[in-house]
Amino acid sequence: MANLVALIVKLKERVFSQEEGMQWHASVTRDAVTAVRTIKTTKGIKGIGPLHWLNDCDVVQHVPIDYMHCILLGVCKSLLNIWLSPTSRGKDFFLGGKAKDIDVILGKARPPSELTRLPGQLSKLSVWKASQYRSWLLYFGIPVLKDMLPSKYWLHAVLLSSSLHVLLSKSITEEALLVVEQRLSDFVALQEEFYGLERCTMNVHMLCHIGGHVRNFGPLWTHSAFEFESANCKLTSLVHGKTHVEKQILSAWQRVHSVIEMKEEGLHDVQMGLHVGHELQGNAIGFRRRHDDWKLLGPESNTPLNESRRKAIIDALKHTGVTADSNLDVLTVNTRAHSGILKLSSTDYSRAKTRHDAAVKFLHSQSHAEDFGIIRCFIDLSPLLLPAGRTTLVALISRLFVQSIFPDTDESVPDKISRHIQGIIQQQAWLEVVNIPEVEDLVVVPLQQIVEKCVLSELPCGRFISCMPNDVELD
């Protein structure tokens, strides 16, 4: 007990000697001291951590926030529990009576192959993985809840989701970061107004600091726990008994490294161990990589061309200086293509049952304007371009006509939300697909001009397309 008192006294001396720039650290330290003294969590702080004793270490600003636990398993999960909790029955944000309908909608979702887990059902929320919360927050939740939550609660969730889209980008400008910080500040303020002070947890509070951490440490994907926890399944495969688990893992890890060292020294009869070693070493921190060396996959097929496809191909060839036969009736096509880890498939690919890898953002060949579309097939135009000496791999894309997902705001929407709507619309994180015309607007796009793959959500209330914030983070 005497040692504990000495600890508290020493910490208090450090607290009151803090300069103004360390006031957050000092506040956290006070709460840590109180938690130790009362043996009770204080403002989310459970006790004194070892980092408190490091000189010049600000436990608030020098320790980056992990968005997997803070936002996905924290704030997002909390919001879903609030909406579904029986204690919310009778309130206008209660979704318990609509959970089965939402489960039916999510059961029909066909995410791209980058989202390795299918959307979870709300009835099984307790077993959702972090990646399923991410898919919900970034792609499916906002379109699904559009007509199920009152506007102010829906737009409140949009503040969080749109902010996460920016914070997970490959690069973030200072201007965009300032906008997101204000957006999250308003989200936190409205959390208390909409759901009560008891719902303003430590995870909600940390949203006020997450912008500064991105400014100091980079986008959230650069320091998230996803990269490390993706290796958990490999580590558990090294455990073969119930006792001394940590020793089993360390022993197996040492054996793997000794095998790799043997390989480096010229001993070649170690292929099996080397394979295991590379599996463990190479994927502990993994990012998807893309390059522009496109290849077509799958068997080729001679496909009859309808009028719209024939016209799109002939128009594309005209821009290359090649005159195509106007009687072009059959063309050799492929159903899949890949560039590095980026894999695309067309709507002609019949084996894709639970995945949709055909929705993309692309650049127009002439105007270089960005647009959205669905890939119908892949074509190697080299046989038609031989006179011009070119080899070109292209995608035949059905253009999508899109509009903003956001309706005109009404008087019930607080100013803390309405002032952000225009910026969120310009962000184009989600777009609604309007009715497709009777005759498809087909365009031929070189594969190098495909900007990114998108998430297409086909729901009873409409079709929605969402952009992925980056193409490097593993699911």
Side-chain angles (χ1 to χ4, degrees):
M1 189 66 182
N3 290 336
L4 180 59
V5 172
L7 274 174
I8 292 174
V9 170
K10 188 172 182 180
L11 273 175
K12 289 178 72 174
E13 290 175 353
R14 286 193 60 189
V15 166
F16 294 114
S17 66
Q18 301 294 328
E19 297 179 359
E20 186 177 353
M22 294 283 282
Q23 59 183 336
W24 287 339
H25 171 89
S27 175
V28 169
T29 305
R30 286 193 192 95
D31 294 334
V33 169
T34 303
V36 171
R37 178 182 293 162
T38 61
I39 318 178
K40 184 178 179 181
T41 300
T42 304
K43 297 180 182 178
I45 307 298
K46 297 184 178 182
I48 300 169
L51 294 181
H52 280 99
W53 302 104
L54 295 179
N55 291 328
D56 301 320
C57 178
D58 184 331
V59 294
V60 176
Q61 299 186 76
H62 295 170
V63 182
I65 296 172
D66 167 39
Y67 89 95
M68 186 183 85
H69 291 92
C70 172
I71 297 180
L72 303 180
L73 297 174
V75 182
C76 179
K77 183 176 181 178
S78 175
L79 280 176
L80 281 168
N81 284 324
I82 292 171
W83 296 332
L84 297 171
S85 173
T87 60
S88 300
R89 191 181 303 275
K91 298 181 180 178
D92 48 0
F93 55 76
F94 178 61
L95 292 176
K98 302 175 183 178
K100 290 184 179 179
D101 296 333
I102 296 174
D103 282 350
V104 171
I105 294 172
L106 293 175
K108 296 178 180 178
R110 295 173 60 205
S113 54
E114 280 77 5
L115 307 184
T116 55
R117 292 184 183 274
L118 293 173
Q121 294 186 320
L122 295 184
S123 57
K124 299 179 180 178
L125 190 64
S126 60
V127 296
W128 274 28
K129 301 296 185 182
S131 59
Q132 290 173 306
Y133 282 106
R134 178 171 58 186
S135 296
W136 167 267
L137 187 57
L138 290 177
Y139 310 119
F140 303 114
I142 299 304
V144 167
L145 298 179
K146 181 175 182 288
D147 296 325
M148 294 192 177
L149 273 178
S151 291
K152 65 178 183 179
Y153 300 109
W154 180 70
L155 289 170
H156 178 246
V158 166
L159 292 181
L160 176 65
S161 184
S162 61
S163 298
L164 186 59
H165 269 275
V166 175
L167 297 177
L168 286 174
S169 301
K170 292 177 69 174
S171 61
I172 308 171
T173 65
E174 176 63 22
E175 180 183 6
L177 192 54
L178 290 172
V179 169
V180 165
E181 286 179 314
Q182 183 59 56
R183 203 178 289 176
L184 288 175
S185 176
D186 288 338
F187 174 89
V188 172
L190 290 169
Q191 179 80 357
E192 178 182 354
E193 181 180 329
F194 289 170
Y195 303 113
L197 182 61
E198 68 276 9
R199 302 295 187 178
C200 295
T201 61
M202 173 61 76
N203 286 319
V204 173
H205 170 73
M206 285 196 292
L207 296 177
C208 298
H209 300 280
I210 204 165
H213 287 205
V214 168
R215 186 177 285 107
N216 292 334
F217 300 99
L220 294 180
W221 57 266
T222 63
H223 51 272
S224 84
F226 275 108
E227 302 157 21
F228 302 96
E229 296 202 8
S230 64
N232 284 351
C233 62
K234 297 180 178 63
L235 293 177
T236 54
S237 68
L238 303 178
V239 179
H240 303 287
K242 296 183 179 180
T243 59
H244 305 296
V245 171
E246 67 282 359
K247 291 183 179 180
Q248 293 182 58
I249 294 176
L250 287 173
S251 177
W253 190 264
Q254 289 172 343
R255 289 197 299 271
V256 165
H257 276 272
S258 65
V259 169
I260 294 175
E261 291 173 2
M262 291 168 63
K263 176 67 175 179
E264 293 174 350
E265 293 173 1
L267 302 177
H268 301 290
D269 190 22
V270 289
Q271 292 305 314
M272 181 58 72
L274 191 63
H275 172 73
V276 175
H278 286 163
E279 279 291 305
L280 287 170
Q281 255 196 345
N283 293 332
I285 299 180
F287 298 119
R288 299 201 301 268
R289 305 200 183 278
R290 174 182 171 179
H291 53 76
D292 291 325
D293 183 18
W294 282 94
K295 294 181 181 179
L296 301 185
L297 302 176
E300 297 178 342
S301 61
N302 294 322
T303 303
L305 299 177
N306 59 28
E307 185 58 33
S308 58
R309 292 192 177 193
R310 182 188 302 110
K311 181 180 182 301
I313 293 170
I314 291 175
D315 289 345
L317 290 173
K318 285 180 181 179
H319 292 295
T320 67
V322 176
T323 302
D325 185 356
S326 59
N327 295 320
L328 186 65
D329 294 322
V330 178
L331 201 62
T332 302
V333 303
N334 293 71
T335 57
R336 293 179 295 154
H338 80 99
S339 171
I341 201 68
L342 179 62
K343 293 181 174 65
L344 298 173
S345 63
S346 66
T347 54
D348 289 351
Y349 184 54
S350 59
R351 295 182 62 184
K353 303 297 182 183
T354 61
R355 301 292 175 177
H356 193 293
D357 291 311
V360 293
K361 180 192 283 188
F362 65 93
L363 294 175
H364 281 282
S365 298
Q366 303 304 314
S367 65
H368 294 286
E370 289 187 344
D371 217 334
F372 297 91
I374 305 293
I375 299 173
R376 296 304 183 196
C377 65
F378 300 96
I379 307 169
D380 184 355
L381 290 180
S382 56
L384 302 175
L385 294 176
L386 281 177
R390 300 185 191 88
T391 299
T392 306
L393 302 181
V394 300
L396 187 63
I397 296 179
S398 175
R399 220 174 121 233
L400 294 177
F401 298 90
V402 297
Q403 65 183 15
S404 170
I405 191 176
F406 299 99
D408 295 332
T409 56
D410 54 47
E411 294 181 356
S412 67
V413 176
D415 181 63
K416 284 185 172 64
I417 291 177
S418 58
R419 64 189 178 194
H420 296 290
I421 296 300
Q422 193 57 43
I424 295 173
I425 291 174
Q426 295 174 356
Q427 188 179 325
Q428 292 191 334
W430 313 270
L431 293 166
E432 184 173 4
V433 180
V434 298
N435 292 332
I436 299 176
E438 293 183 3
V439 179
E440 281 190 295
D441 184 5
L442 292 173
V443 291
V444 174
V445 179
L447 296 187
Q448 287 80 0
Q449 290 178 210
I450 292 178
V451 178
E452 61 181 295
K453 191 192 290 188
C454 300
V455 179
L456 183 68
S457 303
E458 297 180 303
L459 310 175
C461 58
R463 304 169 76 209
F464 303 89
I465 195 163
S466 306
C467 295
M468 296 184 183
N470 65 70
D471 61 356
V472 293
E473 186 179 24
L474 287 172
D475 190 16

